[in-house]
């Protein structure tokens, strides 16, 4: 059962690494589309840089998923090696990954409200003028259509793979 948990954890790691890979590849197009939408709205595009708003794979958009992938890879290696600590680490990290991914999915589903609230908190009058829904839609539409399906597959892999790893750890 340790091997099954390990394989699931490696799948979860790959799923998390796919996030910055896609953003690195298509983030510049998303930014260009967002900039065009800001211009359409009469908002200076520089407001993105001034407020550190990014669509690429920089900063936490890479650090967080790569860290999760590294932790899951390490836990998978321990599961393959078979030490007793692997079961405990599987319980801890697979549970955390399920919770983190639930937060990510919730954030994606409530993106417009979340971004509007974040813009209000910044207190920047120019950010407050942005019509967030078309701004985010423009950026989203710049990604190829298959990216939406890749996100569904990624989330399914993360939730199911983590759940199977937990079950496998229970049966050891």
């Amino acid at each position: 059962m340790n091997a099954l948990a390990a394989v699931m954890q490696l799948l979860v790691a790959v799923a998390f690494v796919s996030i910055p890979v896609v953003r690195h590849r298509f983030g510049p197009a998303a930014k260009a589309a967002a900039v065009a939408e800001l211009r359409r709205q009469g908002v200076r595009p520089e407001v993105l840089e001034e407020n550190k708003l990014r669509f690429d794979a920089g900063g936490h958009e890479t650090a967080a998923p790569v860290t999760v992938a590294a932790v899951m890879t390490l836990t998978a290696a321990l599961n393959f090696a078979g030490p007793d600590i692997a079961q405990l680490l599987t319980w801890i990290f697979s549970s955390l990954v399920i919770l983190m991914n639930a937060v990510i999915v919730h954030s994606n589903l409530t993106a417009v409200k979340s971004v509007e609230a974040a813009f209000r908190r910044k207190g920047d009058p120019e950010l407050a003028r942005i019509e967030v829904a078309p701004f985010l839609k423009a950026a989203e539409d710049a990604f190829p259509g298959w990216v939406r399906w890749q996100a569904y597959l990624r989330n399914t892999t993360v939730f199911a793979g983590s759940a199977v790893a937990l079950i496998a750890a229970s049966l050891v």
Side-chain angles (χ1 to χ4, degrees):
M1 286 299 170
N2 280 9
L4 177 60
V7 168
M8 293 299 107
Q9 289 163 331
L10 290 174
L11 288 173
V12 169
V14 169
F16 268 91
V17 168
S18 74
I19 297 168
V21 169
V22 168
R23 289 182 69 93
H24 175 74
R25 172 66 180 89
F26 300 106
K31 180 181 179 182
V35 164
E37 176 58 25
L38 288 178
R39 284 191 176 114
R40 188 196 67 75
Q41 293 181 24
V43 176
R44 288 180 316 110
E46 293 79 15
V47 74
L48 293 177
E49 299 297 327
E50 293 165 2
N51 287 281
K52 299 179 176 118
L53 300 171
R54 306 176 67 146
F55 294 93
D56 64 7
H60 77 281
E61 294 291 346
T62 294
V66 168
T67 300
V68 171
V71 167
M72 296 310 287
T73 301
L74 175 62
T75 307
L78 290 172
N79 269 307
F80 279 129
D84 293 336
I85 191 79
Q87 183 180 19
L88 174 62
L89 293 177
T90 294
W91 271 100
I92 292 169
F93 294 129
S94 292
S95 297
L96 286 174
V97 163
I98 289 171
L99 293 173
M100 286 186 309
N101 207 58
V103 169
I104 291 168
V105 169
H106 179 266
S107 172
N108 289 342
L109 293 174
T110 61
V112 172
K113 287 182 182 181
S114 298
V115 172
E116 288 171 342
F119 283 3
R120 279 193 303 274
R121 280 193 306 273
K122 288 232 180 211
D124 183 325
E126 198 159 22
L127 282 178
R129 290 189 1 211
I130 296 173
E131 296 173 48
V132 173
F135 169 71
L136 292 180
K137 175 116 175 62
E140 182 181 326
D141 288 349
F143 287 90
W146 60 263
V147 170
R148 178 177 299 272
W149 293 102
Q150 183 262 352
Y152 296 149
L153 178 62
R154 182 184 68 239
N155 288 322
T156 301
T157 300
V158 169
F159 286 126
S162 296
V164 169
L166 286 170
I167 292 167
S170 300
L171 299 175
V172 171

